[in-house]
Amino acid sequence: MLKGNLLRYIGVLMLIILGSYTFVVAAGLSQNLANLVTTFTEEHKQEDLSFSTDRAISDRAGLEKEFEAIIEEYMSFDAELSDTLTLRLLSETEKLNIPAVIEGRGLLGSGEILLDPAFAEANGYPIGSQIEAADKTFAVVGFVSLPHYIYPLKNVYDILYSPHDFGVAVINREEFADIDNAASVYSVRFHDRTQSLNRQVVELREGLRAEGITVSDWIDIMNNKRARMVWASITGMKTMSVPLPAAMFLLCCLIIGIMIWRMIRYESVIIGTLYAQGYRRRELMRHYMTLPLLLAFGGGVIGSLLALPFIEPIVIAMVSYYNFPVIGIKLSVLNVLIGILTPTLFLGLSSYLVIRSELKRSPAELMKGDKQKTKVNALERAFKLERFKFSTKFKLREQFRSISRLVFLFLGVTSASVLMLFGFTLMNSFNHVFNTASDVQFEYEYAFRDLQYGEAPEGAETFNAGKFYPENNEGIEFYITGIEPDSTIVTLKDSKGNLLPNNQTNITKPLANRLGIKAGDTVTLINKEDGKAYAFHIDAVADSKIEQFIFMPIDAFNIKLGLPENSYMGLFSMNKLDIPDEALSGTKSLREASDAMDEFFGQMISMVALMTIVSSIVALIILYLVTSLIIEENRNTISLFKVFGYRRREIKSMILNSSTFVIVAGFMISIPIMAASMGTMYGYLGNMINLVLPTIISPLYVAVCFVVIMLTYQLSKLLCSKRVNEVSMSEALKAGME
């Protein structure tokens, strides 16, 4: 049985191997990352929030007792190593955000430093080397991971980072004694892990305000991309670990069912004879079930075991992008069993149903052979094939006469196309986000620690901002920004491309869609700073692609929130401004974002290339399986064509090209399926890290994917053309004699 169609069964085996491999790798990767990150953040006490104050907190123990929390102070200073490179020096902590030394040793004395490993590798600072920062020379004694810098962004509102531009390091607190303008930051972790974080945060903030303490740079962990970005990756892997293997296994069920059904139909006379001689149904069932179970079990074992050695290297590769210690990789026996038993169950059940339906027929029916070969089904009648010329009619009939084979081909091509388009569209969406002109056109953005007053420097514009979330939905967080009414840096347009005035309240389209509001609505939003509700009347929706903001005049913003007149907390500027570092809580430079984008897209291109190769292999296997089935089912027809004098080229055209329209249809339907899938994934990503990504489908990439699919189709036909040539004219005569 195996020798009869060896290549066909090898193709099925490869699909099963790929499905089991994908499941075990994706599940193992997501589980290990989740366990490692959870262990790291719990054992090293990741903060729930951080903030700066205008003066030191005198009664920290009293606040800890009142709000049932741990509060620890640490020092921070951004050392400029060059015009393009910044190293953030942090003091070593003992209670929260405890550093984890992942290589080398911990700090023992003065003049020592622990570096972020990605920064050290990118800039050439191995253990034992010297680094100059903040007018001091430090010896690199080890590499460190920090719970609040798992994804080491310079600013929490950034998306990407580059270790060639920014890194973090840990030094002894005593080193900050002679570092001017170092900032003092407080970390907080609440004991009660079940209460609403926002509620506890508001209560703590009110308590600080009651003590006369003014806070700034308030960042809670749920909206801190430094901590949340890794969870978005983990969740994405968990999500992908199910549908892709399931699709592979279902395709295998279809093709195995077709092949077993054909085999039983072909051997029906023999089966009927064996029935008549006294063989029982369960003996024949056991005989025909051996093949699919062997393929399913063998493929599951090979795929699952092949995946195990790859889990650790992939986890290590992920850690190079995120920064947390790898204390041990666990290989799950349960995942291996699922990878083996799932295809066995899928294929075993589908094969059993097919075999059982055929073996239910009586011995007399079986001995008559297959009499349903020329039966016209409803699909064939609906298309009224008589109106087409012979070659077209033949190709269509070849597909319609085997609905199961048609479904297998259609779903297979659609699945492979979705996978291929997914990678290209993901890359194009990110490319669109990072290269599309923002609604806020600036070169530099400066955020101050404390409120500023007066007019902006020349070439800059003032803004004020606050974080808000809708009532009963703490997971959606965004900024409401007060801007100058005559701003030339903030340029909002409506759906027709007309400029919107900045002296009214405008909401960007992605945020409006997310909140379900439109122009003319009044929406109630909760201010994260004081927990109070504020009503905003929306005047217009800006046709933005990516931004999530509400913009309003800065004077109206200050009045609404009760802020002093002519106050502001940040500047948009087209030029670099001379502002003391101690006055700033953060800066944003478009040049640094550009460097991070270049590195990100280098990794993205590699991922897209891998997805394209995998989807091409899947498509090739499916197309080869279907094409070889068509040839096998039409051996007598091919032989008759040769007897009637048809040329080889004409025969190949009718036999091998009969799947073309199904392939084109499968590819076309994959486009909306992929778009819907990405929309769902982007929506979930937005909830995880508060980021909206548009699904941007590039006609160029669609054309590239279509060309790849069609080239794969041509390759499958080339592999099968030899089998067409091997069919002799005598086969038709033999069939007639039988």
Side-chain angles (χ1 to χ4, degrees), residues 444 446 455-462 484 488-489 568 571-579:
Y444 298 92
Y446 299 91
E455 295 183 358
E458 186 177 352
E461 293 181 4
T462 63
E484 296 182 8
T488 58
I489 289 180
Y568 61 91
L571 294 171
F572 297 130
S573 176
M574 303 305 296
N575 306 305
K576 190 169 184 178
L577 303 177
D578 186 16
I579 301 175

Side-chain angles (χ1 to χ4, degrees), residues 35 89 97 108 177 217 219 290 336 377 387 407 433 460 502 519 604 642 669 716 733:
N35 290 336
L89 302 175
N97 299 320
L108 297 178
D217 303 333
I219 305 167
T290 302
V336 173
N377 57 38
R387 54 184 169 155
V407 170
V433 167
N502 287 323
M604 179 70 75
K642 290 183 177 181
I669 200 68
S716 71
L733 299 174

Side-chain angles (χ1 to χ4, degrees), residues 30 228 230-241 684 688:
S30 61
R228 296 296 292 170
V230 65
W231 286 109
S233 296
I234 291 169
T235 305
M237 290 171 201
K238 285 182 178 179
T239 304
M240 288 298 292
S241 68
Y684 191 78
M688 287 292 295

